[in-house]
Amino acid sequence: MNRNRRGKKRLWRLRSNPLRRHDDIVETWIVLVVWAVVAVGGALAGLVTYHAGDEVFAAQRAERHSVRAVLLTDTPPSASAAGGARDQIRAKIRWTTADGTRRTGNTLVETGEKAGSKVVVWMDAAGNLTIEPPSRTEATLESAFLGLIAALALAGLALGAGAVARYRLDQRRIDSWGTEWKLVGPSWGRKTS
């Protein structure tokens, strides 16, 4: 019995009630639609974004390949303290493409390297220097993060739109109460005889 009363209490706006206004029904539907959009739309937006990001990263892994190149100039020693992260600097390199042509270009290499050192660079399908594609684990994490951001963005938009709609309903109620009070208020005034 107690469980039935709680269910009725939660759904009080949907029950037949002589004090229920049309605005109460509209507000109930606004809240239901907003939460449906947050739950279903957020999940769909997150999944779609996750899969799209995962496909992009998979395409990058398939398209890019590593090439061994030769450093053409010495790089200055690292200025950071020992045990810290390695610094990188832009330096000139030379590599041989799959068809046998030699090419030169600039890329980031670690500091303290000597000319003639072998470095690994990444190429795209057109033969241009590019960055290393993310590993499967990195791509999964980044895609999941992007999916979460998409879901939160959609949820924020839905909640914001719902808040604006409820605010407008509240303003409409306040205006209605003011109008009704102007009609009823004078008859409740003090009467002296």
Side-chain angles (χ1 to χ4, degrees):
M1 182 73 173
N2 189 21
R3 188 178 188 153
N4 192 21
R5 283 180 56 195
R6 275 188 278 169
K8 285 183 178 180
K9 196 173 195 179
R10 286 187 184 137
L11 299 173
W12 70 270
R13 292 182 187 211
L14 297 176
R15 292 185 315 195
S16 178
N17 184 338
L19 298 177
R20 182 183 67 190
R21 301 168 298 217
H22 177 69
D23 289 349
D24 295 332
I25 296 169
V26 171
E27 183 177 17
T28 301
W29 282 106
I30 288 171
V31 169
L32 287 173
V33 167
V34 164
W35 282 109
V37 168
V38 167
V40 176
L44 285 175
L47 285 173
V48 167
T49 305
Y50 169 80
H51 287 298
D54 205 32
E55 286 178 12
V56 167
F57 295 133
Q60 286 179 356
R61 282 193 305 275
E63 174 188 81
R64 296 177 185 177
H65 59 281
S66 62
V67 174
R68 297 199 49 88
V70 177
L71 187 62
L72 297 178
T73 58
D74 291 343
T75 58
S78 175
S80 66
R86 301 275 316 232
D87 291 334
Q88 290 189 327
I89 190 167
R90 191 168 279 290
K92 193 167 196 158
I93 59 167
R94 181 182 63 233
W95 71 95
T96 305
T97 62
D99 63 0
T101 57
R102 287 186 167 207
R103 296 184 64 186
T104 59
N106 291 320
T107 191
L108 290 176
V109 295
E110 293 186 8
T111 56
E113 298 286 330
K114 300 288 182 198
S117 300
K118 302 283 185 195
V119 293
V120 176
V121 293
W122 287 86
M123 312 292 289
D124 61 12
N128 299 319
L129 290 173
T130 187
I131 60 172
E132 179 180 0
S135 68
R136 286 187 189 271
T137 305
E138 292 169 339
T140 300
L141 288 174
E142 193 166 343
S143 296
F145 180 72
L146 291 172
L148 177 66
I149 295 298
L152 290 176
L154 182 70
L157 285 173
L159 291 171
V164 168
R166 291 181 72 193
Y167 174 78
R168 302 235 8 217
L169 274 174
D170 286 342
Q171 291 300 314
R172 192 167 124 180
R173 286 183 201 133
I174 290 170
D175 292 343
S176 175
W177 291 338
T179 303
E180 290 173 9
W181 183 250
K182 285 179 185 174
L183 295 173
V184 176
S187 65
W188 284 17
R190 203 173 202 184
K191 294 185 181 176
T192 56
S193 33

